[in-house]
Amino acid sequence: MKYYTVNELAEQLKVHPETIKREIYRNNLRAFKVGSELRFTQESVDDYTNALNRGKTTREIELEDQIVQLKKALSEKEKFIELIKLELLKIS
C-alpha cells in the first residue's frame, strides 16, 4: 500500500500543505501519525478525491455499482420466472 506525507500529498493535489492540514481538521481527509508526522493511505486519498470530484466516497461508489449489478440480476431472474409461468400455463 502507498503512503504519503503532507508535503507529498500537497504536491500531488497541487495545494499548499496547510490546506491538507485544514482538510484533516475539517474531517474531510483521514490521516494517521508516524511519530509526530502525518501520513495518508492511498485509500484515504482516493476517498478524499472522489468526494471532491464526485461528491461521494469510494465506498459509496462501490455500493452504487453493486446495486446496479443486483438490480440487473433481479431483473433477469424475474424474466426467467415469467417464462416458467408461461410454460406452466401452456401445460395446464
Side-chain angles (χ1 to χ4, degrees):
M1 177 167 292
K2 176 86 171 130
Y3 299 97
Y4 301 93
T5 65
V6 170
N7 289 334
E8 289 170 338
L9 186 57
E11 185 177 315
Q12 179 181 341
L13 297 177
K14 296 180 176 72
V15 297
H16 193 276
E18 286 302 315
T19 302
I20 300 297
K21 293 175 184 176
R22 277 194 301 273
E23 288 299 280
I24 296 166
Y25 179 76
R26 293 175 183 151
N27 290 322
N28 293 333
L29 180 59
R30 291 174 299 163
F32 63 95
K33 284 191 171 187
V34 175
S36 62
E37 293 187 19
L38 292 167
R39 297 282 192 274
F40 308 89
T41 63
Q42 183 66 53
E43 181 182 3
S44 68
V45 172
D46 290 345
D47 283 344
Y48 177 72
T49 56
N50 281 337
L52 283 178
N53 297 332
R54 300 168 103 178
K56 300 173 185 169
T57 65
T58 304
R59 183 68 179 140
E60 289 171 325
I61 293 167
E62 290 171 355
L63 289 172
E64 286 179 350
D65 290 344
Q66 287 179 353
I67 288 170
V68 168
Q69 292 172 357
L70 289 170
K71 284 181 178 180
K72 183 178 177 183
L74 182 60
S75 174
E76 290 172 4
K77 288 181 182 183
E78 287 173 347
K79 289 177 186 175
F80 183 71
I81 289 170
E82 287 302 314
L83 286 173
I84 291 173
K85 285 180 182 178
L86 288 172
E87 290 299 318
L88 288 172
L89 288 173
K90 287 179 186 177
I91 293 173
S92 53

